[in-house]
């Protein structure tokens, strides 16, 4: 059993919240609210390790994680949001002018976060398709 995330003003409010959670469970839509509390860097490192990558690709991904995606290193997966990704991308382009490397880092971030969605650690992909153009 898991406690509610807040104290309700009325019993009716609590009953409504509980009914909503039970409906999510029956539909298979409920997600553990703590599932996304996984370090991005730890998850990304594991993501790279689990793939059969050519040595140059593995080196590139490590470089991108260290140099371009370091802004997310200390964040949990569920703290990475679409607005934050847009801000990061705009900042990288503005401060580095490195369009190609920023696009590569963006695509890597997108792939990692897509796997986090597949692993049911986060509900939605925070890295939109249009950002890598």
């Amino acid at each position: 059993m898991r406690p509610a995330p807040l104290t309700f003003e009325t019993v009716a409010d609590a009953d409504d919240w509980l009914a909503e959670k039970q409906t999510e469970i029956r539909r298979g839509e409920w997600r553990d609210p703590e599932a996304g509390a996984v370090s991005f860097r730890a998850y990304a490192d594991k993501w790279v390790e689990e793939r059969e990558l050519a040595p140059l690709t593995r080196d590139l991904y490590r470089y991108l994680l260290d140099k371009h995606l370091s802004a997310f290193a200390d964040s949990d997966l569920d703290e990475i949001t679409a607005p934050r990704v847009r801000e990061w991308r705009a900042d990288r382009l503005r401060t580095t002018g490195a369009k190609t490397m920023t696009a590569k880092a963006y695509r890597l971030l997108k792939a990692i976060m897509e796997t986090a969605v597949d692993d049911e650690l986060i509900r939605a992909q925070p890295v939109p398709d249009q950002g890598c153009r």
Side-chain angles (χ1 to χ4, degrees), residues 28-66:
E29 297 171 353
W30 183 84
R31 299 285 184 266
D32 180 348
E34 297 174 17
V38 174
S39 159
F40 170 78
R41 185 57 197 241
Y43 188 79
D45 286 341
K46 185 177 176 191
W47 187 94
V48 171
E49 288 172 20
E50 291 176 344
R51 277 145 187 80
E52 292 184 26
L53 302 170
L56 287 177
T57 302
R58 183 175 306 280
D59 290 346
L60 172 63
Y61 287 177
R62 296 268 180 230
Y63 171 80
L64 293 172
L65 287 168
D66 290 341

Side-chain angles (χ1 to χ4, degrees), residues 36 74-81 84 122:
D74 295 331
S75 301
D76 286 344
L77 294 172
D78 59 4
E79 295 173 332
I80 300 173
T81 62
R84 189 165 168 212
I122 56 174

Side-chain angles (χ1 to χ4, degrees), residues 12-27:
D13 290 342
D15 287 341
D16 289 346
W17 178 86
L18 183 58
E20 182 180 311
K21 296 302 154 195
Q22 290 171 332
T23 300
E24 288 175 7
I25 291 168
R26 278 194 297 275
R27 291 181 178 161

Side-chain angles (χ1 to χ4, degrees), residues 77-97:
L77 294 172
D78 59 4
E79 295 173 332
I80 300 173
T81 62
R84 189 165 168 212
V85 170
R86 283 192 303 271
E87 289 173 19
W88 162 81
R89 182 177 174 271
D91 181 63
R92 296 302 303 167
L93 291 171
R94 185 175 49 258
T95 60
T96 69

